[in-house]
Amino acid sequence: MSTPFPFTAVVGQDDLRLALLLNAVSPAVGGVLVRGEKGTAKSTAVRALSALMPEVDIVAGCRFSCAPAAPDPACPDGPHEVGPGVQRPARMVELPVGASEDRLVGALDIERALAEGVKAFEPGLLADAHRGILYVDEVNLLHDHLVDLLLDAAAMGASYVEREGVSVRHAARFLLVGTMNPEEGELRPQLLDRFGLTVEVAASREPDQRVEVVRRRLAYDDDPDGFAGRWADEETAVRARIVAARKLLPSVVLGDGPLRQIAATCAAFEVDGMRADIVMARTATTLAAWAGRTEVLAEDVRQAALLALPHRRRRNPFDAPGLDEDKLDETLEEFGGGDGSGGSDSSDGSDDSGDEDPDPDGPDGGGGQPPQEGPDGGNDDGSGESSGEVPAQGEPSESGQAPSPGAGEQAPVRATEPFRTKVLSVPGLGEGAAGRRSRARTEHGRTTGARRPQGALTKLHLAATVQAAAPHQRARGRSGPGLVVRRDDLRQATREGREGNLVLFVVDASGSMAARQRMSAVKGAVLSLLLDAYQRRDKVGLVTFRRSTGEVALPPTSSVDAAAVRLESLPTGGRTPLAAGLLRAHDVLRVERLRDPARRALVVLVTDGRATGGPEPVALAGRAARLFAADGVASVVVDCESGPVRLGLAGQLAGELGGTAVTLDELRADSIAGLVRDVQGNSRRAA
């Protein structure tokens, strides 16, 4: 086993190290989610934490790490007698993103369970992580069914394995630590709220600090053992401080004053539910113990808020996590009384409070989102280009298919308010990644049939198994009540659920869109579809076309909010090279099909159907569209044509694509045109 990088040798990242240490002192804080760009020592710090964790006492030979002083009465390896145990280091178990359900929760031998009634159980990663650390790198890419299992285990402190009426339960209490790069997609809200604390990390911009990072890393790579030895004293000191803080923690008093500050802070920032209050209370108490105090102070409450609330402030996927520190300080000061009546000073002067209320005049109500690079999904603190409220007009003057040479570029316009869209799905039955859009064969969902297992059996179809074994009972010499089952009798349940698709947006950004002041509505529609893609666990991509070319504004990614950022800053102007945009989108799909052949694509073309530039631009666009139909790619055209005179070009283009056309109004879920519209794809793509 290689020597881990010393925790105390990590340069900077003070919030990250503090959050990890607080959870080492008190796992009840609820774990840590570490968000940040690649190469910021996220994984290094997490892996280094395991070396600082105090050793745990376990029952000798127990695969489920039962405590000898209080063994789990339901332990599959039990029952255990209370008595002395053995010590071992606390484990750090890594959960791979592509792990199977059986690898996570454990596997039950179905054949022995049916034939012999024996619960032959092989523990999974949740059992290994009990009383230790469960680390999930790239946690935002974790499959939904694994997320559900993690949520259940974290909530109940136990893992349940159910296989057709045969069940095994074991304790599973662990420190959950996840790392993620937001550029690759956001985390499912249910799991996001399950993390007690969150930390944003970024590489230092200070040259001296960056030099020290490189110096230490090179020294570690040259001689890991020697480097670790030079930091041994610091590691020992931190380990001893963790032990001391654990002993002090039960003596820490959370008074009425700090508790009132916690409640007022959570109320002021409008967090959902009561979990934030509980996490803040536990964090503030642990901070006091870490500082060697038995009393919680206002500074502990403030630090706890900075760690526990940012990820609970999000109202939609395109909101950046963050906290308005000025508002936090005002709330703590207002409710800073130590006797539970901390708000009395401000309540004396209700007239003054009325003057102060309008102070945070931002429309987010003190959402506290820190400045980000680029606009953030239509929020007014985005790129600072507020001049785009009214789209500029003038240069583009194309009507119908007439070219408009010399059209000027228009300033980006802001999207209209997003709305709930109709369900657009790919026809047929796929086998792609689990999601919530199109029908697919999946590991989870309703049972539709049975088949012989290919590899390990994961989902038993009991009726089909009994039916396969029943005719052979006399030949197998059955004499008792038990059913004699052989491996050839086992049948795997086939299930149908939903998959996530690649939703590729192809957006007309030419001058005709800006000239008719439609781009704001178009962006609002695409933003609404992006929100729908986020909820349905899709990958998304963005291709735009204007002037003379099509451009890949965003390659296919799981980061839907990255697509929203690119959309918000999208300029318009110039000709309408519709064929070039379609050809570029076709090329994107070709490459993506090689990378992920199981994920089916849905092309959403947003245009009025007009095409300009070059000879016969409409005919050329039709030929490009027929390439999608030949490949069986599902598609929908969002018709942006407006005005009293309509040419119907978008509908013709949808026919060439082999798809269907909807107007902007019909795209709304509450439209009278219907509740659900399936995309008409080529029959060769249908199962």
Side-chain angles (χ1 to χ4, degrees):
M1 182 177 178
S2 60
T3 303
F5 192 91
F7 186 86
T8 52
V10 174
V11 179
Q13 309 296 12
D14 294 337
D15 287 343
L16 168 59
R17 291 189 295 168
L18 176 61
L20 291 172
L21 289 170
L22 292 177
N23 277 274
V25 173
S26 175
V29 167
V32 187
L33 174 64
V34 187
R35 298 165 45 96
E37 58 196 20
K38 52 187 176 292
T40 50
K42 301 188 298 292
S43 299
T44 298
V46 174
R47 293 188 176 102
L49 177 67
S50 60
L52 298 179
M53 298 287 286
E55 292 188 334
V56 294
D57 294 322
I58 64 168
V59 174
C62 178
R63 297 175 298 167
F64 301 88
S65 302
C66 283
D72 182 6
C75 176
D77 283 355
H80 304 299
E81 296 292 335
V82 176
V86 296
Q87 283 194 329
R88 65 158 174 80
R91 292 174 180 158
M92 192 195 74
V93 178
E94 294 196 38
L95 172 61
V97 169
S100 65
E101 178 180 337
D102 284 348
R103 184 71 187 98
L104 178 62
V105 301
L108 193 65
D109 191 329
I110 301 296
E111 186 175 358
R112 292 188 63 191
L114 288 176
E116 306 172 27
V118 175
K119 295 181 181 179
F121 181 69
E122 184 66 27
L125 296 178
L126 290 179
D128 292 341
H130 179 48
R131 303 177 68 199
I133 303 171
L134 181 62
Y135 172 46
V136 189
D137 194 14
E138 306 296 350
V139 64
N140 51 322
L141 304 182
L142 199 64
H143 290 302
D144 276 359
H145 69 284
L146 297 183
V147 170
D148 292 335
L149 294 170
L150 274 181
L151 289 174
D152 289 342
M156 297 183 295
S159 175
Y160 291 85
V161 182
E162 301 283 349
R163 293 291 187 272
E164 300 296 340
V166 181
S167 63
V168 173
R169 173 211 170 274
H170 65 83
R173 291 182 294 274
F174 46 82
L175 167 57
L176 180 61
V177 181
T179 56
M180 60 174 282
N181 184 346
E183 294 177 356
E184 297 173 344
E186 282 298 339
L187 194 60
R188 181 173 164 182
Q190 292 92 329
L191 186 56
L192 180 66
D193 186 58
R194 186 62 64 180
F195 285 97
L197 310 180
T198 187
V199 178
E200 296 279 340
V201 297
S204 172
R205 299 298 184 257
E206 293 293 331
D208 291 342
Q209 196 171 75
R210 297 174 74 96
V211 166
E212 187 61 25
V213 170
V214 175
R215 181 181 291 119
R216 294 186 186 183
R217 185 69 210 190
L218 294 178
Y220 170 77
D221 291 341
D222 290 340
D223 182 11
D225 292 334
F227 183 81
R230 291 194 291 274
W231 290 89
D233 291 342
E234 287 81 354
E235 294 282 288
T236 301
V238 172
R239 191 179 299 110
R241 187 175 176 184
I242 292 174
V243 174
R246 283 188 173 186
K247 293 179 179 178
L248 184 62
L249 185 60
S251 303
V252 176
V253 176
L254 178 63
D256 289 344
L259 187 56
R260 186 175 177 82
Q261 286 181 317
I262 290 171
T265 300
C266 293
F269 285 100
E270 300 178 352
V271 296
D272 296 331
M274 294 298 298
R275 182 173 286 122
D277 304 63
I278 297 171
V279 171
M280 271 190 67
R282 288 172 175 167
T283 304
T285 303
T286 308
L287 280 163
W290 179 248
R293 290 183 270 102
T294 58
E295 182 182 2
V296 175
L297 304 180
E299 63 193 61
D300 301 322
V301 176
R302 186 182 193 278
Q303 184 64 58
L306 294 175
L307 293 172
L309 295 187
H311 60 302
R312 295 184 167 90
R313 280 285 302 141
R314 301 188 70 191
R315 286 293 177 264
N316 66 66
F318 307 144
D319 288 342
L323 210 63
D324 185 339
E325 295 193 31
D326 290 337
K327 182 174 181 178
L328 173 62
D329 291 335
E330 291 174 3
T331 304
L332 294 177
E333 183 177 357
E334 179 181 357
F335 293 88
D339 58 356
S341 59
S344 59
D345 292 342
S346 60
S347 63
D348 290 341
S350 57
D351 294 336
D352 294 338
S353 64
D355 295 337
E356 293 176 3
D357 282 344
D359 185 53
D361 53 2
D364 59 352
Q369 297 176 4
Q372 303 292 319
E373 294 188 15
D376 190 24
N379 292 338
D380 52 16
D381 63 343
S383 62
E385 298 181 12
S386 58
S387 60
E389 290 186 2
V390 179
Q393 295 193 76
E395 294 88 357
S397 59
E398 59 189 55
S399 59
Q401 301 174 33
S404 57
E409 183 168 306
Q410 311 300 310
V413 298
R414 183 164 297 162
T416 58
E417 192 70 21
F419 52 85
R420 189 167 64 89
T421 66
K422 286 192 177 74
V423 179
L424 304 175
S425 61
V426 179
L429 195 63
E431 295 182 345
R436 300 178 183 177
R437 183 172 296 277
S438 305
R439 294 173 54 225
R441 298 183 184 93
T442 61
E443 288 295 321
H444 299 267
R446 63 185 181 91
T447 300
T448 58
R451 60 175 173 81
R452 291 182 182 273
Q454 300 172 349
L457 178 69
T458 55
K459 297 290 183 181
L460 177 73
H461 194 295
L462 183 58
T465 299
V466 172
Q467 185 177 8
H472 309 290
Q473 296 305 295
R474 182 174 298 177
R476 293 173 182 175
R478 172 184 171 185
S479 59
L483 188 68
V484 181
V485 179
R486 304 282 172 82
R487 174 158 291 277
D488 289 343
D489 302 327
L490 299 179
R491 295 295 182 267
Q492 174 87 21
T494 57
R495 302 186 179 224
E496 182 179 312
R498 293 281 170 175
E499 67 176 0
N501 299 115
L502 166 60
V503 182
L504 182 63
F505 294 94
V506 186
V507 180
D508 184 351
S510 65
S512 65
M513 307 294 283
R516 291 163 178 79
Q517 301 188 25
R518 288 176 294 182
M519 202 59 196
S520 182
V522 166
K523 284 187 176 183
V526 177
L527 185 64
S528 303
L529 290 167
L530 284 172
L531 279 166
D532 183 67
Y534 168 80
Q535 294 166 352
R536 300 186 187 280
R537 314 299 287 172
D538 295 317
K539 290 181 70 173
V540 297
L542 179 62
V543 173
T544 64
F545 56 93
R546 65 190 187 100
R547 291 185 173 175
S548 61
T549 61
E551 178 184 354
V552 182
L554 182 71
T557 175
S558 297
S559 180
V560 177
D561 51 344
V565 169
R566 302 293 175 88
L567 176 71
E568 185 69 14
S569 59
L570 179 66
T572 58
R575 299 178 185 272
T576 312
L578 179 55
L582 290 172
L583 291 174
R584 180 57 61 91
H586 187 267
D587 188 56
V588 170
L589 292 183
R590 178 184 60 81
V591 174
E592 193 64 20
R593 196 176 295 121
L594 296 174
R595 292 175 177 169
D596 191 359
R599 188 182 290 268
R600 298 187 294 166
L602 170 62
V603 173
V604 179
L605 175 60
V606 185
T607 181
D608 55 12
R610 292 175 171 85
T612 61
E616 299 183 342
V618 175
L620 186 61
R623 288 196 293 271
R626 287 193 287 275
L627 294 175
F628 292 85
D631 290 342
V633 178
S635 59
V636 61
V637 178
V638 179
D639 185 0
C640 303
E641 192 173 30
S642 61
V645 179
R646 296 174 181 258
L647 302 179
L649 296 175
Q652 297 176 23
L653 187 62
E656 301 280 8
L657 286 165
T660 189
V662 296
T663 65
L664 288 174
D665 289 337
E666 291 173 341
L667 192 62
R668 295 178 177 271
D670 54 359
S671 168
I672 61 173
L675 296 178
V676 178
R677 183 184 296 269
D678 287 334
V679 180
Q680 301 300 315
N682 190 288
S683 60
R684 279 175 288 183
R685 296 289 289 181

